[in-house]
Structures are given as C-alpha cells and as structure tokens.
C-alpha cells in the first residue's frame, strides 16, 4: 500500500531552522507540502516536480524555505530557515500520481491534484 511518512517537526525559536522529511513507498510525480494553522484553512507551501527542475512556493516562504527531493530514496525535503511565528502549523506531505504527458516537469500547487497525504508533523515557532 501507499505510505507517506513525515518527520522533522518540533519546537523552535523565531529565526531558527527545521528540516522536514517525507519518505514515500514508491515513485510519485509532483510532491509538495501544505500546512494548516489553528483556525485556518489548509494552504499550499511548496512543491517540486519529479525531475526537480521546477519548484513552486507560496509568497510568504520564498527566500526562507527550500524544497528538494531524492528520487532514489523516494524522499522529499523541506528545509525551513528564518522561521517566524506565523509558520506555526501542522505540515502535511502530499504526493501526486503521474498523469498527463508532462507529469515529469510540473509542480502542482492545488490540493485536489494530490492523491496521497501524510499524517502531518507539528511545527511550532515561538517568539
């Protein structure tokens, strides 16, 4: 069965860093991260295409977060630097089944485009 296992969440002071990891049980196309803060809707954070040359970020994390992947290990990483209290949320890994003729080169930023989700990992940033 398909599994996405997340790790790396925790408590950090504002300005600090965390590295989130998501290990998948098989190869996927686009993979990404979403987050949900208390009382708010789930929002897109970052995504990366299968060949890793295409990346997408929500405006609020550009320059601070970096997404990467290792297809040999079926793993996607979110390196989060200069964390802010507003980054506090549960972070979810998402994986998309390859579809269409350009699946290798697209980074999907819409939640409904993803087929599988991790359990989530808590990130808390204190001020």
């Amino acid at each position: 069965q398909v599994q996405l296992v997340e790790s790396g969440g925790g408590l950090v002071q504002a300005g600090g860093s965390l590295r989130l990891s998501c290990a998948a049980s098989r190869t996927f196309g686009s993979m990404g991260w979403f987050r949900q803060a208390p009382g708010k809707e789930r929002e897109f954070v970052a995504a990366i295409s299968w060949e890793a040359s295409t990346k997408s970020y929500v405006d609020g994390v550009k320059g601070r977060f970096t997404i990467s992947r290792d297809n040999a290990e079926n793993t996607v990483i979110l390196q989060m630097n200069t964390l802010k209290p507003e980054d506090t949320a549960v972070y979810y890994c998402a994986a998309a089944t390859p579809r269409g003729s350009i699946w290798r080169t697209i980074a999907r930023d819409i939640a409904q485009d993803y087929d599988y989700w991790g359990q989530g990992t808590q990130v808390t940033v204190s001020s």
Side-chain angles (χ1 to χ4, degrees):
Q1 70 279 16
V2 173
Q3 295 185 62
L4 299 177
V5 180
E6 299 156 311
S7 62
L11 174 65
V12 65
Q13 189 172 345
S17 299
L18 285 173
R19 180 180 181 272
L20 304 185
S21 178
C22 175
S25 59
R26 67 172 177 85
T27 299
F28 289 95
S30 179
M31 295 186 71
W33 292 90
F34 292 74
R35 66 188 180 187
Q36 187 165 19
K40 296 185 177 181
E41 295 182 347
R42 179 179 57 184
E43 69 167 343
F44 167 76
V45 178
I48 184 169
S49 62
W50 177 82
E51 31 73 86
S53 64
T54 304
K55 301 176 182 179
S56 182
Y57 300 93
V58 68
D59 287 345
V61 309
K62 291 180 180 178
R64 299 189 297 118
F65 291 10
T66 302
I67 190 169
S68 61
R69 69 189 292 169
D70 182 347
N71 290 341
E73 300 291 334
N74 293 329
T75 300
V76 62
I77 301 295
L78 185 67
Q79 178 66 46
M80 305 186 294
N81 298 325
T82 319
L83 283 161
K84 303 175 180 180
E86 51 262 46
D87 295 318
T88 295
V90 176
Y91 284 69
Y92 298 92
C93 177
T97 299
R99 58 174 64 89
S101 61
I102 58 172
W103 66 268
R104 296 175 182 84
T105 60
I106 58 175
R108 300 183 181 276
D109 59 6
I110 300 175
Q112 66 183 175
D113 287 341
Y114 289 93
D115 305 296
Y116 302 99
W117 297 82
Q119 291 293 313
T121 184
Q122 177 71 50
V123 171
T124 303
V125 184
S126 63
S127 60

